[in-house]
Amino acid sequence: MIVGDLLALDELHIEVAWATPDLLGREVTGVTSTDLQDPARYLRPGEVVLTGLVWWRPEDTRPAPRLATALRFANALRSAEAAALLAGEGTHGTVPPELAEACRRHGVPLLSVPSGTSFRAVTDRIYLRLWGDLQAGAEGRAGLPAGVRRTLTSMLGADAPLDGLLRRAVADLGVPDCSLVTGAGRLLASSADVRPAPPHAAVARPAPSRAPVAVPAPAPAPIPVGPPGTTPFDGWLLQPHTAPGPAAATMLHGLAELLAPLAERARATATAQRQAGTRLLELLAAGADPEADHALSLAGLPPRLPLTPVAARFGPAAGTAPGTPAGFVPGTAAAPGPADPSGAWAAAALAEALHPTAAPFVAAPDGRGGAVALVALPEDAVAAALDLALPRLGAEPQPAGARTGPGRPAAGVGPTVPPTAADLRPALVQARYALDARPPGAVGRWAGTASLADLLRGIPPEVTAAFHQRLLAPLVDHDRQNTVSLVDTLDAFLRHNASWSRTAEALHVHVNTVHYRVKRIEELTGRSLLRLDDRLDLRTALLCAPAALLRAPTVAEEPRAAKGRTRKAG
């Protein structure tokens, strides 16, 4: 397929905004949809770039800055060796003349896509054409009979269900039943109602004791469908249910080749969605509400359904990662860079967790090694889906150089809010807080934040430890040098609502002893336990204690002489 073929695609009405005949003869290898100002790092040579021009700023009336913006974008396409640029007219009505001039200077053919043509239709038609070109020159490859290849090709061209296509392939080729799965094991289609056995299915074999013992049986090796993705979640696999013979294995590889363009299209769609989500979250972080509201529709989210924000992390929490942009707003996202491979990894993993819900969503890196998502589902349904999916996703190893090391996944779910930028911004912050307030392996919910202890768990440990040290250091120093624990006394006194008698009963001491200790606590801390504000401060400091200091209240041992005086005073 060449760039000029795009002009002949039925019902798309694509036209030339600027190009030369030789540029229209460029080979096309794929398509990427993006609205980033510098998409070079996401492109591969020969790809057509599809943009809605959201990055274009027509409000700047000066032609020189507008041309400079267009030149930067065109230069990014040229450096990535993109085949052409397809510019949508839905946002600004027409293709800006500055963009046409920039493409002319950098030798990038520019085509226009009318507002009535959806980007999804353009992407699908390009990949179907590429797939047709591939199969036309692949007769006899990988052992597929020509007749079977033509039948399966026709089914693919008619968008037949993948389950039916696999059943037809198994019947016509005589190969074992097989399933199409993602790299993380999510089932996409299967030729049989029975799912493939897990990789370590147990079979009974006789042991020396003559008792059957379950030992792991290796599962048939899966066959990659298309080139490998950048994360374990980007690729597709063809998984035989039983081990194929040599001839069947050859035909299964041919079937995988036939399905490769579909995997490429799915990967391109996922990449475009992540880029759209990144742009949306950048606008939310910048407070650009009108543009963010428009980006919501470009990201494929429904215009009226409420959305639930999700924040996820797939490694240990360590505060803000190095390189976090200045002015970063928790719960929003910044575009991932080459030094943040775990950002794209986490976004792909979060998308994998949300796919089974069959609800519209957008997921993107958060700029901190994690990911955030907006889902068109109620909070309860989102939390339930994550509870099921996260344990499975946590087994995937993370890429080398990730900012967060391998670890159990965790997620935070914010409140379900109307789909407007003004409502989503605080909801994203709440989702991030719910994430930070839960340990790895758990799904936190902002709705479950109902106490001071819950609230404090979302604050960075460096902050809570410093607050604890500032208020309670005199008491901690006292307890290190004495057998009477003033920290325990303070904890008991506040937990019993400043009741002298109940505190004395809990500590098994005389009430006068409680009076003496409380007076000593007030002297050391400079706080009065008769004032509500001081009580709240000290209670918060107790809840902020490091793990080494968090222990159940114990009965403080006192010198025998002191005990005797206490009993006598009673």
Side-chain angles (χ1 to χ4, degrees):
M1 180 181 183
I2 61 175
V3 174
D5 293 335
L6 298 173
L7 305 175
L9 294 178
D10 297 338
E11 300 179 357
L12 296 184
H13 308 294
I14 297 174
E15 297 182 356
V16 176
W18 179 86
T20 61
D22 59 322
L23 291 178
L24 291 176
R26 284 182 174 179
E27 290 287 336
V28 175
T29 62
V31 58
T32 290
S33 178
T34 181
D35 269 306
L36 298 177
Q37 287 186 324
D38 184 4
R41 63 178 178 270
Y42 296 108
L43 305 179
R44 291 183 295 181
E47 285 189 323
V48 169
V49 178
L50 188 60
T51 178
L53 297 178
V54 175
W55 52 270
W56 179 252
R57 297 292 181 269
E59 62 271 11
D60 194 338
T61 59
R62 299 170 299 169
R66 292 203 305 269
L67 179 59
T69 300
L71 286 170
R72 284 194 298 270
F73 187 82
N75 181 59
L77 304 190
R78 182 186 59 80
S79 64
E81 300 180 17
L85 172 63
L86 270 65
E89 297 179 337
T91 302
H92 302 295
T94 59
V95 176
E98 293 86 356
L99 183 59
E101 174 62 18
C103 289
R104 185 191 68 79
R105 293 188 187 185
H106 287 287
V108 178
L110 174 62
L111 310 182
S112 63
V113 181
S115 58
T117 300
S118 72
F119 282 11
R120 175 64 183 271
V122 174
T123 301
D124 286 351
R125 291 303 304 276
I126 291 176
Y127 273 109
L128 284 175
R129 177 61 184 268
L130 288 173
W131 166 81
D133 291 346
L134 179 66
Q135 63 85 27
E139 293 291 342
R141 288 178 58 194
L144 278 188
V148 176
R149 180 181 290 276
R150 282 193 295 269
T151 299
L152 299 180
T153 295
S154 299
M155 295 180 70
L156 284 173
D159 285 332
L162 286 177
D163 291 307
L165 186 144
L166 290 181
R167 283 193 291 269
R168 183 62 182 266
V170 167
D172 289 356
L173 296 174
V175 296
D177 278 315
C178 54
S179 295
L180 195 62
V181 298
T182 65
R186 177 169 55 88
L187 184 67
L188 299 171
S190 180
S191 65
D193 294 333
V194 179
R195 292 195 177 196
H200 299 291
V203 297
R205 292 185 180 177
S209 62
R210 290 181 292 183
V213 176
V215 297
I223 301 169
V225 178
T230 55
T231 78
F233 312 104
D234 288 332
W236 285 8
L237 300 172
L238 188 63
Q239 176 66 67
H241 294 188
T242 58
T250 299
M251 285 187 283
L252 285 174
H253 278 84
L255 179 59
E257 282 187 11
L258 200 67
L259 296 172
L262 294 183
E264 278 284 295
R265 186 173 68 183
R267 183 181 296 112
T269 300
T271 301
Q273 184 196 54
R274 286 200 292 270
Q275 293 175 5
T278 298
R279 176 61 179 164
L280 169 61
L281 294 163
E282 285 176 342
L283 293 172
L284 288 172
D289 288 3
E291 293 180 342
D293 287 332
H294 180 62
L296 279 169
S297 60
L298 294 180
L301 293 171
R304 290 176 294 275
L305 286 180
L307 300 175
T308 300
V310 179
R313 180 175 54 240
F314 291 81
T320 302
T324 299
F328 179 81
V329 179
T332 59
D340 185 22
S342 58
W345 190 99
L350 185 54
E352 185 74 15
L354 295 172
H355 264 299
T357 65
F361 71 89
V362 59
D366 65 0
R368 304 170 62 191
V372 293
L374 299 174
V375 193
L377 273 182
E379 178 184 348
D380 291 342
V382 174
L386 293 174
D387 278 328
L388 291 175
L390 290 190
R392 172 174 58 88
L393 298 180
E396 294 290 346
Q398 292 195 43
R403 287 183 180 176
T404 55
R408 299 173 63 196
V413 181
T416 303
V417 297
T420 65
D423 293 300
L424 287 172
R425 187 178 299 104
L428 281 166
V429 175
Q430 293 167 31
R432 168 65 65 188
Y433 204 93
L435 165 66
D436 292 338
R438 291 295 179 268
V443 177
R445 298 178 59 181
W446 176 253
T449 306
S451 68
L452 177 60
D454 292 334
L455 196 64
L456 292 175
R457 276 196 290 268
I459 297 176
E462 297 84 357
V463 176
T464 55
F467 186 79
H468 171 85
Q469 172 70 13
R470 178 173 297 177
L471 268 67
L472 298 184
L475 302 187
V476 174
D477 292 340
H478 170 277
D479 291 356
R480 289 191 182 125
Q481 301 173 15
N482 295 272
T483 57
V484 175
S485 175
L486 295 183
V487 173
D488 286 343
T489 301
L490 175 63
D491 182 53
F493 185 72
L494 295 177
R495 282 190 296 105
H496 290 89
N497 301 316
S499 170
W500 306 96
S501 59
R502 280 184 289 170
T503 303
E505 182 180 353
L507 296 177
H508 304 287
V509 298
H510 194 276
V511 68
N512 289 347
T513 303
V514 177
H515 277 278
Y516 170 77
R517 293 184 186 176
V518 168
K519 181 179 178 181
R520 185 63 176 146
I521 290 170
E522 292 176 333
E523 292 173 351
L524 291 174
T525 61
R527 304 292 181 117
S528 172
L529 290 176
L530 297 178
R531 296 181 68 251
L532 177 60
D533 288 347
D534 286 346
R535 289 182 191 175
L536 290 176
D537 289 345
L538 293 173
R539 178 60 180 161
T540 302
L542 287 170
L543 293 173
C544 289
L549 296 178
L550 288 177
R551 61 184 186 277
T554 58
V555 178
E557 295 293 333
E558 299 184 63
R560 293 185 179 179
K563 282 189 174 183
R565 288 194 297 272
T566 300
R567 293 192 187 96
K568 185 176 181 180

